[in-house]
Amino acid sequence: MSGQRRTAPGVELLSIGNELLLGETVDTNATWIAARLASEGIAVLRKTTVGDDVALIRDALAAGLRRCGTVICTGGLGPTPDDLTRHALAELYARRLVVDDAWLDVLRARYARRGMTMPAINRVQAEHPAGATLLPNARGTAPGMALADQERGLTILLPGVPSEMRGLLEAEVLPLLRERLRPAARFESRVIRTAGISEAALAERIADIAGDVAPLSLAFLPQGTGVDLRLTFAGSSAAAGDAVRSEAGSVLLDRAVARLSERLGHDVFALEPVDLAAVVGGMLRERGMTLAVAESCTGGLVAKRLTDAAGASDYVRAGFVTYSNDAKRDMLGVAETTLAAHGAVSEACAREMAEGARRAARADAAMAITGVAGPGGGSAEKPVGTVWMAVALESVTHVRHVIFPGDRSEVRERSAQAALDMLRRALAGTLHG
Amino acid sequence: MSGQRRTAPGVELLSIGNELLLGETVDTNATWIAARLASEGIAVLRKTTVGDDVALIRDALAAGLRRCGTVICTGGLGPTPDDLTRHALAELYARRLVVDDAWLDVLRARYARRGMTMPAINRVQAEHPAGATLLPNARGTAPGMALADQERGLTILLPGVPSEMRGLLEAEVLPLLRERLRPAARFESRVIRTAGISEAALAERIADIAGDVAPLSLAFLPQGTGVDLRLTFAGSSAAAGDAVRSEAGSVLLDRAVARLSERLGHDVFALEPVDLAAVVGGMLRERGMTLAVAESCTGGLVAKRLTDAAGASDYVRAGFVTYSNDAKRDMLGVAETTLAAHGAVSEACAREMAEGARRAARADAAMAITGVAGPGGGSAEKPVGTVWMAVALESVTHVRHVIFPGDRSEVRERSAQAALDMLRRALAGTLHG
């Protein structure tokens, strides 16, 4: 299936849907595919989004194929009339649409097993351009499809429902791509995740050694809640010696990651693309410790992030969302006098929340967050963004105070990250003051 | 600033950054801009993402300008060497980079106010192609810029940090675009959000009237947690009579929304793009009621969503994240015998969690979720995806049981949505059984 037009090593992604252009839906599919392909060393060279229009889809597919020979396209395979991707594919490759009777039987049998008759509307989901390979979808009614010729290259269509897209990519698409894309298309990258240090400060800390990473490339990725560093080794497109070069790339990456992360010390929380909450969870599990979380302004965000990880029940004993003063008093035992004298956004309240949560949940450690997320509730003394965080661990309760920039959602995200980072440093024994 | 090449009414978005192509970062900026422009009736015709490469950025900008005459580009304006967007802009418009001394003074003064010296690295952020208009950034060091000529059209560059991008778009870019794009570029759309009904069932429910919405277009948008319907009126590109047509469009939209939402009845939860949690919050506020939330498998997700809304403290009394059996017993008073006889994922446990949360928080209403989110923990009797949900309201506790498809994250999202929808229906008096 190698096409003469394949000029760049990698793939392009094409997302279909007016909802994406209207901002109604975040395109998490494209992000997920990109991350999954990156982990296989397959480069995504471009992402494009167009609306539900046959000509636009056809032309965007054609342009992507001309540039790199392989396009993965998501969306527009549903049963309703605004699902046009299969028509665009048929036009581009000049094929007619045919019905796959075997898939129709699969669909009818699935409905029958649930005691139902297949709605007539689903019949179009067995249609595909003649010559395309149907990729069976175990989780939904829209099959994926793959179509390739010498002139145009390979197009893969996947449904837009995330779980269906993921299942098909793993089972059907990755094996195809691993075979198709020669090692020349491969690259390798590593990430160094930091917390508690600004982009400019981070750049200055490593300024004298950043140039030494060549021929690797180094990128700074500010995340709003911290800064990631990414080191990339790009595979050469010369056919000879790729395997050797790729091995040398791994060694260079290992060396550069070790040197940079040594310089950055405790500000590094991970050498892989993993959430800080998962890192903290791993540290708790390693130490056999349990945690209680008391949240006011973050409203459950920290507990949600900690429990994103399977098996979090091993260390998350309990979370308290104490949005009101009454709840802080009743659930955590914050003193009425503390609330009256200092208010809920105060050092004393944060401290009592953490200690109360630890006591109430009979946990080994606890963290607490109380602040003004905005947009209302700010004052001259406690402007929007003012947040107090506390970590109770062993005999010490650490308390910290920050005024975070940003809107309500950003203040909440940054508070959650900063509090988790406090706990990380406390567990590592590197939190002072 | 009107360019001869402006062929399509609307704008294109261009996102810059290798991190987007590696799947390390979800492109929430493009989604946010698209939604904000849609609310102004300005169409986004295409979104493109390319990596940190001057030639790729330049060529993608040029292609977008050829297609529609206006491109908004985010990212690549930072102070580090991988920030190349201003260089691409200079190449495309054939201008040299010059330093804006006034902006340099602003930066230096900002650092000075904090008792610091501006890092030398930030100097490049005062560079821009000669003739570009600098758009001052109140929240960060990277200013936006706008550059237009007759031949190429208008390019707007914005920093990639979300809060900075948003501030600049509101203050500087929207006024520019409102003036530049004639009403011909305008369109109008409405959304009908549903919960608790599948896409196919929804399509069949409205099959006999769906055709009547013409000349409006109707799209089905499955969200994983429910299905949205979108109705769109596209403005005509004929110059004459646009105002009249646009008014007629609003009338058509109002009529179609009324007819479809009447047919769909209680399955509709909103006629605007708003989270179900915000709708439920509004119902609680209206009724002067308070809520307690008890979460096991969702681990804080429901509390987080409810408190995304400012002012949620008016109705969210407390949230309990009771991930362990001990926490369910200690914090909510779930009976030891219930846990022993039925397990934590059971009708009885969900019921006791809701009633216990209501009692413990002294709230008017409570909701509870307990289930197997996976990937581990499933059994033949209680497979992964098994979730029990309860809503305690007045003298009745409603309990419901669903086996959700999907991975851990999807089961959690769907459980949260289904439980919020139960509470919505209970508050509206339309939940039976």
Side-chain angles (χ1 to χ4, degrees), chain B residues 308-378:
Chain B
D308 279 342
S313 50
D314 293 348
Y315 42 84
V316 176
R317 268 209 47 99
F320 302 86
V321 179
T322 54
Y323 221 63
S324 63
N325 279 357
D326 285 0
K328 290 182 184 71
R329 194 190 54 211
D330 297 351
M331 288 162 64
L332 304 173
V334 174
E336 195 68 61
T337 50
T338 300
L339 293 166
H342 307 286
V345 179
S346 64
E347 175 170 6
C349 184
R351 180 183 300 275
E352 292 180 33
M353 283 172 68
E355 292 172 354
R358 180 160 68 162
R359 196 169 50 238
R362 285 177 290 139
D364 300 313
M367 55 193 289
I369 305 173
T370 178
V372 187

Side-chain angles (χ1 to χ4, degrees), chain A residues 388-407:
Chain A
W388 283 93
M389 295 163 287
V391 166
L393 185 68
E394 290 158 8
S395 59
V396 188
T397 301
H398 307 268
V399 188
R400 212 184 135 213
H401 162 248
V402 180
I403 301 176
F404 290 107
D407 62 19

Side-chain angles (χ1 to χ4, degrees), chain B residues 100-351:
Chain B
D100 186 294
D101 288 319
W103 185 251
L104 212 51
D105 288 343
V106 168
L107 291 185
R108 287 195 184 117
R110 279 197 202 159
Y111 276 93
R113 264 200 303 280
R114 294 161 61 193
M116 296 159 71
T117 306
M118 186 186 84
I121 194 178
N122 287 109
R123 188 187 154 86
V124 298
Q125 296 189 295
E127 288 184 1
H128 63 279
T133 307
L134 234 60
L135 311 176
N137 180 349
R139 299 158 186 242
T141 51
M145 50 193 90
L147 183 53
D149 66 17
Q150 285 289 106
E151 185 191 340
R152 297 172 189 87
L154 169 66
T155 301
I156 293 162
L157 306 190
L158 297 174
V161 177
S163 58
E164 300 179 18
M165 180 280 291
R166 291 175 194 184
L168 275 168
L169 194 97
E170 293 287 353
E172 305 286 343
V173 179
L174 284 178
L176 249 174
L177 293 182
R178 285 190 200 107
E179 174 151 337
R180 180 179 174 84
L181 298 169
R182 298 164 309 149
R186 305 301 179 88
F187 70 94
E188 198 176 343
S189 76
R190 303 275 166 83
V191 70
I192 300 176
R193 306 208 71 184
T194 73
I197 177 169
S198 75
E199 182 180 12
L202 197 154
E204 296 210 320
R205 279 261 292 281
I206 60 169
D208 60 316
I209 56 171
D212 302 350
V213 303
L216 305 179
S217 65
L218 174 66
F220 291 77
L221 311 171
Q223 302 291 329
T225 56
V227 182
D228 292 349
L229 287 177
R230 193 189 50 246
L231 287 154
T232 304
F233 174 78
S236 157
S237 61
D242 274 340
V244 175
R245 283 198 196 118
S246 170
E247 202 174 316
S250 290
V251 172
L252 287 173
L253 284 165
D254 286 343
R255 204 177 296 158
V257 166
R259 184 139 183 240
L260 291 171
S261 58
E262 192 199 350
R263 172 69 64 90
L264 294 170
H266 304 311
D267 292 335
V268 174
F269 70 80
L271 300 180
E272 52 182 331
V274 65
D275 185 18
L276 175 57
V279 171
V280 169
M283 293 172 81
L284 290 165
R285 183 196 300 281
E286 226 169 62
R287 288 160 177 74
M289 292 177 74
T290 58
L291 176 71
V293 182
E295 303 184 65
S296 185
C297 64
T298 49
L301 175 57
V302 171
K304 188 263 174 194
R305 282 176 58 185
L306 284 164
T307 58
D308 279 342
S313 50
D314 293 348
Y315 42 84
V316 176
R317 268 209 47 99
F320 302 86
V321 179
T322 54
Y323 221 63
S324 63
N325 279 357
D326 285 0
K328 290 182 184 71
R329 194 190 54 211
D330 297 351
M331 288 162 64
L332 304 173
V334 174
E336 195 68 61
T337 50
T338 300
L339 293 166
H342 307 286
V345 179
S346 64
E347 175 170 6
C349 184
R351 180 183 300 275

Side-chain angles (χ1 to χ4, degrees), chain A residues 327-404:
Chain A
K328 290 182 183 73
R329 194 191 54 212
D330 297 352
M331 288 163 64
L332 303 173
V334 173
E336 195 68 62
T337 49
T338 300
L339 294 167
H342 306 286
V345 179
S346 64
E347 175 170 5
C349 183
R351 179 183 300 275
E352 290 180 33
M353 283 173 69
E355 291 172 354
R358 180 161 68 163
R359 195 171 48 238
R362 286 177 290 138
D364 300 313
M367 55 194 287
I369 304 174
T370 179
V372 187
S379 65
E381 195 200 350
K382 295 174 184 174
V384 168
T386 302
V387 178
W388 283 93
M389 295 163 287
V391 166
L393 185 68
E394 290 158 8
S395 59
V396 188
T397 301
H398 307 268
V399 188
R400 212 184 135 213
H401 162 248
V402 180
I403 301 176
F404 290 107

Side-chain angles (χ1 to χ4, degrees), chain A residues 47 49 307 321 330 362 408, chain B residues 47 49 307 319 330 362 408:
Chain A
K47 298 195 290 189
T49 305
T307 59
V321 179
D330 297 352
R362 286 177 290 138
R408 178 177 178 83
Chain B
K47 298 196 288 189
T49 305
T307 58
D330 297 351
R362 285 177 290 139
R408 178 178 178 83

Side-chain angles (χ1 to χ4, degrees), chain A residues 179-195:
Chain A
E179 175 150 338
R180 180 179 173 82
L181 297 169
R182 298 164 307 150
R186 304 303 179 87
F187 70 93
E188 198 176 344
S189 76
R190 303 276 166 82
V191 70
I192 300 175
R193 306 207 70 184
T194 73

